Amino acid sequence: MAFENGVNWRPLEPQRRGRHSSFASAVEASFKDLSYVPDSFFDALTEKWNELFPGFSAKPGRREDNKLFLYVKSAPQLFSIRSKVPAVKRKLSAMPGAPRRLEVYLEIHK
């Protein structure tokens, strides 16, 4: 019997599954991950997150082009934070080096 990570068929990165509508899209995303180019805005954002938003339960997760995905731990947190996303977006857009059309999304990750 084959094991993905050797323990009870637990997937290595289940949060990354189901994001691609086609095989070509998945291959393109994997090449983009392999050819990582440092981005000063997003790298600085992860380092300064607690300074910018102290006590905020959402944390920066992945990014795709000009989209930033904030991770929360549960659905109640998602609903309570949803109304604060426009303020977060405004504050992030005012930072130096921010993308012109920054989009902020919430996702549930444990």
Side-chain angles (χ1 to χ4, degrees):
M1 180 148 72
F3 295 101
E4 188 168 341
N5 70 348
V7 181
N8 302 327
W9 281 89
R10 293 187 187 147
L12 294 176
E13 295 180 0
Q15 70 274 12
R16 295 186 60 124
R17 292 185 176 196
R19 286 188 9 220
H20 305 286
S21 59
S22 66
F23 180 73
S25 158
V27 169
E28 182 180 332
S30 64
F31 279 124
K32 192 180 289 186
D33 287 346
L34 290 174
S35 61
Y36 173 73
V37 178
D39 185 349
S40 60
F41 172 73
F42 287 106
D43 292 342
L45 177 64
T46 57
E47 293 172 7
K48 297 180 181 179
W49 184 259
N50 290 329
E51 283 178 32
L52 293 169
F53 305 102
F56 199 61
S57 59
K59 303 293 180 202
R62 72 175 197 277
R63 67 173 170 95
E64 295 175 358
D65 299 325
N66 292 337
K67 298 176 185 173
L68 174 65
F69 293 86
L70 300 178
Y71 292 166
V72 295
K73 293 183 180 183
S74 65
Q77 281 184 345
L78 184 134
F79 289 114
S80 68
I81 292 175
R82 185 184 292 170
S83 63
K84 299 174 186 174
V85 169
V88 170
K89 183 178 174 182
R90 280 192 302 275
K91 191 168 188 176
L92 294 178
S93 296
M95 290 178 60
R100 296 194 90 179
R101 302 186 124 212
L102 179 66
E103 298 177 35
V104 180
Y105 297 97
L106 294 172
E107 282 189 358
I108 299 173
H109 285 267
K110 292 185 178 185

